[in-house]
Amino acid sequence: MATTLTPILTRFWDDPQSWTIETYNKHEGYQALRKALGTPQEDLVAMTKDSGLRGRGGAGFPTGLKWSFLPKPDGGPRYLVVNADESEPGTCKDIPLMMAAPHFLIEGVAITSYAIGCNHAFIYLRGETVHVYRRLLRAVEEAYAAGHLGTDIHGSGFDLDVTVHAGAGAYICGEETALLDSLEGRRGQPRLKPPFPAVAGLYARPTVVNNVESIASVPPIVLHGADWFSGMGTEKSKGFGIFSLSGHVTRPGQYEAPLGITLRELLDMAGGMRNGRRLKFWTPGGSSTPLFTDEHLDVPLDFESVAAAGSMLGTRALQIFDETVSVVRAVSRWIEFYAHESCGKCTPCREGTFWLKQILVRLEQGKGTQDDIDKLVDICDNILGRSFCALGDGATSPVTSAVQYFREEFETGMHTPWWEAFPPERSVLFDTKETASV
């Protein structure tokens, strides 16, 4: 079992100007691109497959396999789209990566584009993060100036243009087909599949959509080899990943470690629970994954082990909550987010998240009825597997798991408001019943 960190994408984040191309060049910057340009395209795809790299955006789909789904070239364009629309509560790894070391992503985009035969790549960024947008634009500008992008890159005959696109700030655009609609200038709503993006994606052309961390992991793999990468992690979940610890820990932050590390080990590195309090519940992969409790401290954080324990690894957004927190209030806040961000295209998500929100607000105010808890579970059952995309499914996860592990707190909501069950002098998360800060 891994017990140490593996700083690779994060290894020079503490440099005074870590985001510049000068700093990146000091740390093997763009060496992988030069190596890739001298490698057959099919070999790069095979290397990515052999490495065992799986999507770092949540689903964990094998990255090289996704690339291989593209049909054979037909003379028309094909595209790479990087999903940088990070916006789920608790998820905070891609934005720090793009802020601290954007050239990992730019080099990964260049290598991936060459491997799949793409001559125009797009990075779709969440619109509110203007500071990240400016930093990415500057990094792309530096890469063009250094000859890593543009025409006839390093004399290889390969041309590549990169466009950084800022979206309008909709969570639904993190879903790959909604992202593509938004990128084309339409309202961001998920598309009916099939056809899948690999066949008809951006502008109805073959398209690969990958997460920021997935693409940023490509240069180290190309430079050091598939065996180097697969030597880390577990048998089926290979490599390293950025684990984002937030909430009630002594030292919250980004911890880059091999997949398979446990929360107990990460908590030790992070100085333990804040103020010595007891762990109550946590999310292994952001707010759209089923909750875990202190019983799951030793579950290996890899795709298979987390799934076997009843949750999803997702984006490795580890939100940590201690005993001062009302689980009903926390889940209610998440559902308010999902109800607000539902695009409204399908009835189960549009109506289901609305009614989940109404019931949870009633319970947190101590005005719940006898049937509310069963009604919550019933609504979740009618959303799960019936919504157009994964937003609806994700919204049900914290609700059903919270009821499973903390049913007595929901029952308390039938007669006691959360601010009395968790008064201000006890709670460090909420100050008063009017104000809350997560």
Side-chain angles (χ1 to χ4, degrees):
M1 184 61 64
T3 56
T4 57
L5 300 177
T6 54
I8 297 164
L9 301 180
T10 61
R11 70 181 181 270
F12 56 89
W13 282 15
D14 58 348
D15 190 278
Q17 289 192 311
S18 64
W19 55 87
T20 64
I21 196 168
E22 288 81 10
T23 301
Y24 189 61
N25 287 337
K26 293 175 185 175
H27 297 85
E28 303 175 329
Y30 291 100
Q31 292 181 21
L33 174 60
R34 290 183 170 86
K35 180 179 178 181
L37 292 174
T39 305
Q41 293 167 298
E42 59 272 16
D43 289 354
L44 290 172
V45 176
M47 180 188 298
T48 309
K49 280 185 181 179
D50 294 342
S51 73
L53 175 64
R54 296 172 64 172
R56 298 304 197 232
F61 193 83
T63 303
L65 186 61
K66 179 182 274 193
W67 296 358
S68 69
F69 285 160
L70 291 180
K72 292 182 179 179
D74 59 1
R78 48 181 56 199
Y79 300 105
L80 168 67
V81 177
V82 178
N83 186 345
D85 190 70
E86 182 176 66
S87 50
E88 180 167 307
T91 302
C92 53
K93 62 182 178 64
D94 293 339
I95 283 176
L97 175 58
M98 289 184 287
M99 276 296 288
H103 284 280
F104 268 117
L105 175 60
I106 305 303
E107 186 177 14
V109 166
I111 294 170
T112 304
S113 298
Y114 174 73
I116 65 174
C118 158
N119 298 113
H120 194 170
F122 295 83
I123 301 172
Y124 184 99
L125 182 70
R126 185 160 181 79
E128 292 94 335
T129 56
V130 178
H131 56 303
V132 187
Y133 181 55
R134 290 170 176 161
R135 183 144 295 175
L136 274 178
L137 288 176
R138 177 59 183 153
V140 169
E141 188 179 76
E142 288 180 321
Y144 269 107
H148 304 312
L149 300 176
T151 305
D152 190 24
I153 298 173
H154 299 308
S156 64
F158 173 61
D159 304 336
L160 177 65
D161 285 315
V162 174
T163 298
V164 182
H165 179 89
Y171 172 71
I172 189 63
C173 290
E175 196 278 333
E176 63 178 11
T177 59
L179 184 156
L180 295 176
D181 264 19
S182 175
L183 194 52
E184 291 177 357
R186 293 194 290 272
R187 181 179 180 182
Q189 289 189 323
R191 299 175 180 177
L192 186 65
K193 293 184 283 191
F196 292 92
V199 176
L202 185 64
Y203 307 127
R205 294 297 303 168
T207 304
V208 166
V209 184
N210 276 134
N211 170 260
V212 169
E213 192 186 354
S214 306
I215 296 298
S217 300
V218 170
I221 292 173
V222 171
L223 194 59
H224 301 291
D227 292 341
W228 166 83
F229 184 84
S230 61
M232 293 177 274
T234 64
E235 183 180 353
K236 293 184 178 179
S237 298
K238 299 183 184 300
F240 54 86
I242 301 174
F243 294 82
S244 308
L245 268 70
S246 62
H248 297 157
V249 294
T250 302
R251 291 190 296 273
Q254 311 296 334
Y255 292 80
E256 192 173 14
L259 299 186
I261 197 169
T262 66
L263 178 61
R264 187 184 300 277
E265 292 170 309
L266 287 169
L267 277 178
D268 287 343
M269 297 178 197
M273 296 294 293
R274 192 172 66 185
N275 299 325
R277 289 191 167 94
R278 182 181 62 84
L279 173 66
K280 182 175 180 179
F281 65 98
W282 56 288
T283 66
S287 61
S288 65
T289 57
L291 303 181
F292 274 168
T293 68
D294 56 358
E295 300 173 6
H296 302 94
L297 271 169
D298 295 309
V299 172
L301 294 174
D302 62 69
F303 293 103
E304 288 72 32
S305 300
V306 174
S311 188
M312 295 177 289
L313 186 61
T315 54
R316 284 156 280 117
L318 310 175
Q319 299 175 92
I320 313 299
F321 299 88
D322 66 23
E323 71 249 18
T324 66
V325 181
S326 163
V327 68
V328 179
R329 175 63 173 162
V331 171
S332 178
R333 293 280 286 173
W334 285 330
I335 296 305
E336 286 180 22
F337 170 83
Y338 288 114
H340 179 269
E341 293 293 337
S342 173
C343 73
K345 184 167 185 173
C346 69
T347 303
C349 179
R350 181 185 66 245
E351 300 298 320
T353 54
F354 171 83
W355 285 109
L356 287 176
K357 174 183 172 182
Q358 307 308 306
I359 295 171
L360 282 164
V361 168
R362 200 156 63 215
L363 285 169
E364 66 174 292
Q365 292 178 348
K367 300 176 182 177
T369 68
Q370 191 66 39
D371 299 327
D372 276 348
I373 300 174
D374 291 336
K375 194 179 297 292
L376 279 176
V377 176
D378 183 59
I379 292 172
C380 288
D381 288 344
N382 279 281
I383 298 174
L384 187 63
R386 294 180 171 88
S387 57
F388 207 88
C389 76
L391 190 153
D393 293 352
T396 69
S397 297
V399 177
T400 52
S401 55
V403 171
Q404 175 188 350
Y405 294 120
F406 301 99
R407 191 179 184 96
E408 69 284 354
E409 266 190 47
F410 286 85
E411 292 170 348
T412 300
M414 295 177 191
H415 48 78
T416 306
W418 69 268
W419 56 85
E420 292 181 9
F422 294 85
E425 62 270 15
R426 179 183 165 196
S427 176
V428 295
L429 184 64
F430 304 120
D431 297 327
T432 69
K433 66 180 180 180
E434 289 84 12
T435 61
S437 59
V438 178

